[in-house]
């Protein structure tokens, strides 16, 4: 059962449209459904299930199969009953999220819908009509409205699930007990692991190019303050492809859950409503910010990003610098770690001697088979403390950069060891405890929620007790 729940957890947070929430106008309820005990059954053609305040249509299941296929999944590996059970879980979460007064930011949902539509358009060559035809909609606004409801339901569900597991932790003693109860012959095997360090050199724009960008941003700031439109300025001038199409709008920034880089947050949170910042620098380039609205802890902002052009001479100088650094390390004039501290342009790693941190485990170990493919090709045959060839790479905004890598340690494939693999074992123990909490929550809420399963789906062999037998 835990494996099934784990699959459902993965599906639950996946991007994309998973179910239809909008009921066609031709479908009518005979009476309003009470969330616990209805006074009469619902007689609606095509209704496969009712979960609390939510209805699952037969077409929802068909659309979900289509969406899985569109996202590159293999619908043949999941049965119709399994997918139906997944939709039942989604609605259970969403229903109780409303009961628990979980609040969702509508502006954030609309922004995400815009990003979804843009991605779908790109997949079909930028033709909105093809998108409307696929979803059987007559106009873009009706599609946006439906996608808004779908995504809001999903967000409610994910927030409900997060609430269930948010405060769950495991103690060292629980980790030890978890590990000891695994029979020796069933203990997990961890693949070959590497500790990897890198030095990154980024070509720098000239001061003249930087000054040009700052002058342009100041001019835009002045023009907007004199009555110009920030949205149109962002649309025509911003180098941020993710936000420029929305007039520079970013998802709401929350003081308690910061997501933007430190420099951006500090400027945004220092502004008053309607104020535009002076130009400032982050790792992505130079920005100005318009603070549109403050809603408690949340800030609605727009920004314009400009990236100074990098001359070919700067690219050449950066390449020569990293080649010289590689030569000095190989000749023993300096250690890799010291060279990283002295010359690397990657702030996240340079002060750790270039050592990469695995974001999944927060330690320095990377499973060889899970490393980025391009890096894997370069380091799979590297002996410890030897250096890769110079790699030509691109940063987050597409600018060229150069890097060299080294393997500082290698652990061959091995059976799980409590001392060496404590962090991985702790994560396994935590996941088991979370899955147990979710299973217990589902069992309790199914009993407390009005659930109606129609037709042949009553014959499904569900993991959960949806039929309350």
């Amino acid at each position: 059962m835990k494996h099934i729940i784990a699959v459902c957890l993965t599906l639950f947070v996946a991007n994309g449209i998973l179910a239809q929430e909008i009921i066609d106008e031709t479908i009518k309820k005979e009476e309003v459904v009470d969330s616990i005990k209805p006074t009469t059954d619902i007689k609606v053609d095509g209704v496969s299930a009712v979960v609390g305040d939510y209805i699952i249509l037969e077409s929802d299941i068909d659309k979900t199969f289509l969406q899985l296929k569109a996202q590159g999944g293999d619908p043949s590996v999941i049965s119709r009953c399994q997918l139906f059970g997944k939709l039942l879980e989604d609605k259970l979460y969403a229903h109780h999220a409303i009961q628990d007064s979980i609040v969702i930011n509508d502006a954030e949902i609309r922004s995400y819908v815009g990003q979804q539509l843009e991605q779908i358009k790109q997949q079909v060559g930028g033709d909105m009509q093809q998108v409307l035809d696929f979803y059987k909609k007559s106009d873009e606004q009706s599609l946006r409205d439906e996608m808004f409801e779908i995504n809001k339901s999903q967000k409610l569900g994910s927030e409900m699930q997060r609430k269930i597991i948010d405060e769950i932790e495991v103690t060292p003693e629980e980790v030890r007990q978890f590990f000891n109860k695994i029979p020796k012959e069933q203990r997990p095997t961890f693949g070959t692991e590497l500790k990897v360090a890198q030095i990154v050199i980024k070509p720098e724009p000239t001061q003249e190019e930087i000054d040009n960008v700052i002058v342009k941003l100041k001019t835009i700031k002045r023009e907007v303050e004199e009555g110009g439109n920030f949205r149109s300025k962002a649309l025509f001038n911003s180098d941020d492809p993710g936000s420029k199409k929305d007039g520079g709008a970013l998802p709401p920034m929350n003081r308690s859950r910061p997501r933007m880089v430190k420099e951006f947050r500090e400027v945004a949170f220092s502004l008053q409503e309607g104020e535009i910042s002076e130009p400032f620098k982050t790792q992505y380039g130079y920005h100005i910010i318009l603070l549109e609205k403050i809603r408690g802890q949340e800030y609605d902002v727009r920004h314009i990003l400009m990236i100074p052009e990098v001359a070919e001479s700067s690219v050449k100088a950066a390449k020569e610098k990293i080649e010289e650094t590689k030569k000095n390390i190989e000749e023993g004039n300096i250690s890799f770690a010291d060279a990283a501290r002295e010359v690397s342009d990657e702030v996240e790693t340079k002060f750790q001697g270039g050592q990469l941190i695995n974001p999944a485990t927060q330690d320095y170990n990377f499973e060889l088979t899970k490393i980025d493919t391009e890096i894997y090709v370069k380091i799979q045959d590297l002996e410890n403390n030897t250096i890769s060839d110079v790699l030509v790479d691109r940063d987050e905004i597409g600018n060229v950069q150069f890097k060299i890598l080294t393997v500082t340690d290698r652990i061959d494939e091995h059976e799980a060891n409590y001392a060496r693999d404590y962090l991985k074992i702790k994560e396994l123990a935590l996941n088991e405890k979370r899955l147990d909490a979710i299973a217990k929550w589902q069992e309790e809420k199914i009993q407390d929620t009005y659930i109606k399963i129609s037709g042949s789906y009553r014959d499904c062999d569900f993991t959960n007790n949806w039929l309350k037998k």
Side-chain angles (χ1 to χ4, degrees):
M1 184 178 77
K2 290 176 182 176
H3 291 301
I4 295 296
I5 296 173
V7 171
C8 291
L9 274 171
T10 303
L11 287 171
F12 191 90
V13 298
N15 289 333
I17 301 169
L18 294 182
Q20 177 182 349
E21 299 293 348
I22 303 301
I23 304 170
D24 294 340
E25 292 181 1
T26 56
I27 298 174
K28 299 179 181 179
K29 292 185 181 180
E30 300 236 335
E31 292 189 22
V32 177
V33 182
D34 182 85
S35 62
I36 302 298
K37 185 178 180 181
T39 57
T40 183
D41 288 341
I42 299 173
K43 298 178 181 179
V44 183
D45 185 29
V47 174
S48 298
V50 178
V51 180
D53 295 330
Y54 285 88
I55 288 175
I56 299 175
L57 303 177
E58 186 71 19
S59 60
D60 291 339
I61 305 167
D62 297 327
K63 285 187 177 182
T64 307
F65 272 116
L66 286 174
Q67 191 63 30
L68 286 173
K69 188 174 182 180
Q71 293 175 345
D74 182 3
S76 65
V77 303
I78 184 170
S79 71
R80 198 169 185 85
C81 280
Q82 288 174 321
L83 196 57
F84 180 65
K86 169 63 177 59
L87 294 180
L88 290 171
E89 288 186 14
D90 289 349
K91 303 306 176 247
L92 185 69
Y93 286 123
H95 172 73
H96 283 283
I98 293 173
Q99 303 302 307
D100 287 5
S101 301
I102 291 177
V103 178
I104 301 300
N105 187 301
D106 288 354
E108 185 175 351
I109 301 296
R110 290 191 182 94
S111 174
Y112 181 63
V113 167
Q115 296 174 28
Q116 279 185 318
L117 269 180
E118 192 63 31
Q119 291 172 355
I120 296 169
K121 277 174 60 180
Q122 291 174 4
Q123 290 173 1
V124 296
D127 187 348
M128 175 55 73
Q129 189 57 50
Q130 288 191 43
V131 177
L132 295 176
D133 291 343
F134 178 82
Y135 289 106
K136 299 180 180 179
K137 290 295 176 183
S138 59
D139 59 86
E140 182 176 336
Q141 188 56 52
S142 64
L143 177 58
R144 283 182 178 271
D145 291 343
E146 179 169 311
M147 291 177 68
F148 173 83
E149 295 299 331
I150 293 165
N151 280 281
K152 185 170 183 177
S153 174
Q154 287 183 327
K155 184 68 173 177
L156 281 168
S158 64
E159 290 299 315
M160 185 69 251
Q161 194 176 62
R162 184 176 291 110
K163 181 178 179 180
I164 298 167
I165 66 173
D166 195 39
E167 297 182 2
I168 295 177
E169 296 179 352
V170 287
T171 65
E173 177 60 21
E174 287 176 317
V175 177
R176 186 188 66 80
Q177 291 178 6
F178 169 81
F179 182 74
N180 288 338
K181 76 180 181 182
I182 304 174
K184 192 173 187 308
E185 63 276 9
Q186 295 180 18
R187 286 179 183 171
T189 298
F190 296 124
T192 299
E193 295 177 347
L194 307 176
K195 292 182 179 179
V196 181
Q198 67 181 19
I199 296 173
V200 179
I201 304 295
K202 301 179 180 181
E204 293 294 332
T206 64
Q207 189 59 48
E208 181 181 1
E209 288 296 335
I210 293 172
D211 291 342
N212 287 339
V213 162
I214 292 174
V215 168
K216 289 178 183 177
L217 288 171
K218 285 186 174 182
T219 300
I220 291 173
K221 168 181 164 68
R222 185 182 68 254
E223 290 174 349
V224 173
E225 290 174 338
E226 293 174 352
N229 187 292
F230 193 96
R231 296 184 185 187
S232 61
K233 297 291 186 184
L235 182 63
F236 290 106
N237 294 282
S238 183
D239 291 327
D240 179 6
S243 69
K244 69 180 295 181
K245 61 183 178 295
D246 293 322
L250 296 171
M253 296 177 60
N254 193 303
R255 277 186 175 274
S256 62
R257 297 193 301 273
R259 291 183 297 178
M260 307 299 286
V261 293
K262 179 175 179 289
E263 299 88 348
F264 196 99
R265 297 197 309 267
E266 288 178 346
V267 173
F269 293 146
S270 71
L271 297 174
Q272 301 296 317
E273 284 190 9
E275 186 180 0
I276 303 174
S277 74
E278 292 293 333
F280 66 96
K281 181 183 178 182
T282 71
Q283 66 195 62
Y284 302 104
Y286 291 80
H287 312 250
I288 55 173
I289 297 175
L290 166 64
L291 176 58
E292 290 192 315
K293 188 76 174 174
I294 301 176
R295 294 174 290 103
Q297 291 289 304
E298 293 195 331
Y299 286 54
D300 294 334
V301 302
R302 295 180 185 270
H303 84 131
I304 295 173
L305 168 69
M306 287 190 176
I307 304 170
E309 291 187 15
V310 177
E312 189 60 39
S313 58
S314 297
V315 176
K316 182 180 178 182
K319 188 171 186 294
E320 290 174 351
K321 183 177 180 179
I322 201 162
E323 288 174 343
E324 181 68 20
T325 301
K326 172 177 163 66
K327 180 181 177 183
N328 283 332
I329 296 171
E330 290 177 332
E331 291 179 351
N333 299 325
I334 191 172
S335 68
F336 192 99
D338 287 341
R341 295 184 184 97
E342 286 188 16
V343 305
S344 183
D345 293 325
E346 188 173 66
V347 177
E348 296 85 355
T349 61
K350 69 177 297 177
F351 300 111
Q352 286 79 42
Q355 205 76 50
L356 295 175
I357 296 176
N358 188 333
T361 60
Q362 294 302 309
D363 63 11
Y364 294 131
N365 294 322
F366 290 82
E367 288 190 46
L368 182 61
T369 56
K370 294 182 180 179
I371 293 178
D372 180 82
T373 303
E374 185 177 354
I375 298 177
Y376 174 84
V377 171
K378 297 293 184 181
I379 67 172
Q380 61 175 326
D381 296 324
L382 276 182
E383 297 294 332
N384 286 6
N385 300 313
T386 58
I387 304 174
S388 72
D389 295 332
V390 173
L391 305 179
V392 182
D393 195 14
R394 297 275 176 182
D395 63 15
E396 301 95 331
I397 54 177
N399 288 335
V400 69
Q401 60 184 12
F402 301 95
K403 64 172 62 174
I404 52 177
L405 300 107
T406 187
V407 176
T408 59
D409 192 19
R410 181 187 300 262
I411 302 173
D412 292 328
E413 182 177 304
H414 62 283
E415 179 185 290
N417 178 280
Y418 182 75
R420 180 193 298 166
D421 303 307
Y422 177 80
L423 288 177
K424 295 185 185 65
I425 296 167
K426 178 182 178 182
E427 189 64 24
L428 293 174
L430 180 59
N431 284 339
E432 181 182 68
K433 193 171 181 179
R434 286 171 173 169
L435 292 174
D436 288 342
I438 288 172
K440 181 180 179 181
W441 182 91
Q442 289 180 348
E443 182 179 356
E444 292 175 352
K445 296 304 181 183
I446 285 173
Q447 295 300 321
D448 295 340
T449 308
Y450 171 70
I451 298 171
K452 172 82 170 180
I453 310 292
S454 304
S456 62
Y457 292 107
R458 296 183 64 84
D459 297 327
C460 289
D461 183 17
F462 295 117
T463 302
N464 290 321
N465 185 25
W466 297 110
L467 299 175
K468 303 184 182 181
K469 295 180 177 179

